[in-house]
Amino acid sequence: MASQNPQSNFEDFLPIMAEKLGGDGLIGELCNGFDLLVDGDKGVITFDSLKRNSALLGLQDLSDADLRSMLQEGDFDGDGALNQMEFCVLMFRLSPDLMEDSRLWLDEALKQEFNDSH
């Protein structure tokens, strides 16, 4: 069975969600996504919980290798699972448009802060 590229059919809805929901609303929706994928006993997203619940997010066609790759991509502390913060950071990293918007917002905030202090 050939591994599919998870980004081949990926449509980035995070920028649209951010625009419609605002920052707090987007974070709330990311938390809801985490809750859908989490292993209820462990409180983190494990390979098994991701595999079991991925169809809820339309990811049922991803191979085991793709799912493991997703976990590795976001697993900053090396425990083999994603906590809520790692999941949210991964979702932002997988959204190039949202990352670009975030950089623009940061640049604006820094410019404003610099101008206010001088």
Side-chain angles (χ1 to χ4, degrees):
M1 177 182 202
S3 174
Q4 282 190 324
N5 179 351
Q7 294 180 338
S8 62
N9 295 322
F10 179 71
E11 186 169 351
D12 188 2
F13 290 110
L14 283 181
I16 296 167
M17 290 173 64
E19 187 177 315
K20 292 189 182 289
L21 300 173
D24 290 341
L26 177 61
I27 295 300
E29 286 304 309
L30 287 175
C31 291
N32 289 340
F34 177 81
D35 290 342
L36 285 174
L37 298 172
V38 73
D39 179 307
D41 294 331
K42 297 180 180 176
V44 293
I45 297 172
T46 63
F47 171 76
D48 290 332
S49 71
L50 182 59
K51 183 174 176 105
R52 182 174 52 251
N53 300 319
S54 61
L56 296 171
L57 299 177
L59 302 176
Q60 65 273 6
D61 293 333
L62 293 179
S63 70
D64 287 358
D66 290 333
L67 295 174
R68 281 191 175 83
S69 178
M70 286 176 73
L71 282 173
Q72 286 178 324
E73 175 93 15
D75 183 18
F76 295 117
D77 61 11
D79 65 354
L82 299 179
N83 63 36
Q84 191 173 44
M85 181 61 71
E86 289 171 326
F87 174 77
C88 289
V89 169
L90 177 62
M91 293 300 98
F92 272 82
R93 287 179 59 212
L94 291 176
S95 175
D97 292 340
L98 196 57
M99 285 298 290
E100 184 59 32
D101 288 346
S102 297
R103 285 187 195 101
L104 294 173
W105 296 331
L106 178 61
D107 287 345
E108 273 305 308
L110 290 173
K111 286 177 190 173
Q112 185 66 36
E113 184 66 28
F114 181 75
N115 290 335
D116 288 348
S117 66
H118 284 90

